[in-house]
Amino acid sequence: MRKRLLAGLALVGALALATAGCSGSSSSGDSTAGASGGSAKQLTVGFAQTGSESGWRAANTQSMKDAFSEKNGFKLIFNAADNKQEAQIAAVRSFINQGVDAIVIAPITVDGWDDVLKEAKDAGIPVVLEDRTINVSDKSLYASWIGDDFEKEGETAGAWAKQTFTGATNMVVLEGTTGSAPAIDRATGFAKGMGSAPITTLDSQTGNFTRADGKTVMEGFLQKYGKTINVLFAQNDDMGLGALDAITAAGLVPGKDIQIVSIDATHDGLQALSDGKFNFVVECNPLLGDQVAQLVKKVVAGDPVEKAYTATDQSFTQAQATAALPDRKY
Ligand code: GYE
């Protein structure tokens, strides 16, 4: 269903072009507008962020705040819901009550969105999703989505495991937030990528995408399975980084006694990979702000948009991480 269209800068460029074209024709009376379309009315946008669980999230929040600046023609009302779905829905309701021009949501979980999205639609406020996807009965309840292909990320991680472990191997998994699109899709993708590799999943539990919970859950795994664990699949870098402490405290060497594959490729994750504590990292690009801002402008202007825009992600070996670190932006 998701369409891989344009990635990264190409996507920004395409949307920017279309937006510039649009503001050119709609602000016909104002010849001083300039090429950036600076004459357009300021848009008030409510952004319902998940929370602040990870390094990925911090980078995504910063990217959104930078893109939705006054300089770029926006007034941003920012809310971070501490990863509580009810709080995030309440934030969206408050944006509706405030009569914002558009709402952007990074949905914590996939389910539970129908009612509030209907309320936004009834109020005539367009909704754009960024980062995570949702299950909704009627897709016309949101205008568009921009994010990463979580299933593909999981598949890349699983393919690494398949290639790396040819003999009997025991794996534990630190899952992301239960019911979230990345947790669901990365698990599906990993299973696909792993295929028929001789890997047994000893245990799989949520670490809520945080370092603290990654550490605590890994401590539990180590108490239960000890040295029999060969590989950890951490569905994000932060949980893997938290697990490092638990593994070291148990007298084991991360990256050797227990190999670690994780997803995000934050600076800290790539540093752990470069240091030999992680073994493979798949990227998930959080720098979506510019693309989302351009998309919101188009949606508010009533211009046609695609239903989904997927960013392109890469993956890193130890040598690639070492090479990428000096320029890593997040
Ligand atoms: O991988 C994790 C964050 O939704 C893709 O959320 C995002 C995930 C990311 O907390 O670190």
Side-chain angles (χ1 to χ4, degrees), residues 102-170:
I103 295 172
V104 180
I105 310 172
I108 296 167
T109 54
V110 290
D111 291 325
W113 290 102
D114 288 70
D115 288 351
V116 76
L117 291 186
K118 273 183 201 130
E119 288 163 34
K121 193 176 185 185
D122 290 346
I125 302 173
V127 172
V128 166
L129 306 178
E130 78 109 23
D131 167 26
R132 299 183 183 176
T133 53
I134 58 172
N135 289 332
V136 74
S137 53
D138 172 5
K139 285 204 180 248
S140 77
L141 290 175
Y142 67 91
S144 186
W145 165 86
I146 289 184
D148 297 79
D149 186 339
F150 307 135
E151 188 172 320
K152 182 130 185 287
E153 293 164 357
E155 200 174 336
T156 307
W160 170 84
K162 182 181 183 177
Q163 201 186 17
T164 307
F165 301 102
T166 45
T169 300
N170 290 323

Side-chain angles (χ1 to χ4, degrees), residues 53-54 56-57 131-132 150 182 186 209 236 264 284:
E53 68 279 359
S54 67
W56 190 100
R57 191 61 54 193
D131 167 26
R132 299 183 183 176
F150 307 135
R186 286 171 183 171
F209 281 135
N236 82 341
D264 273 356
C284 180

Side-chain angles (χ1 to χ4, degrees), residues 239-300:
M239 294 188 293
L241 291 163
L244 290 180
D245 294 344
I247 294 169
T248 312
L252 297 171
V253 181
K256 295 209 167 58
D257 296 326
I258 298 180
Q259 295 208 34
I260 300 174
V261 53
S262 80
I263 298 176
D264 273 356
T266 56
H267 196 280
D268 289 357
L270 291 188
Q271 188 65 57
L273 179 57
S274 179
D275 294 344
K277 296 173 179 167
F278 282 7
N279 302 80
F280 191 68
V281 174
V282 181
E283 182 179 52
C284 180
N285 185 0
L287 306 179
L288 306 172
D290 285 336
Q291 291 141 287
V292 180
Q294 298 292 349
L295 181 59
V296 165
K297 281 190 178 169
K298 287 196 76 180
V299 166
V300 171

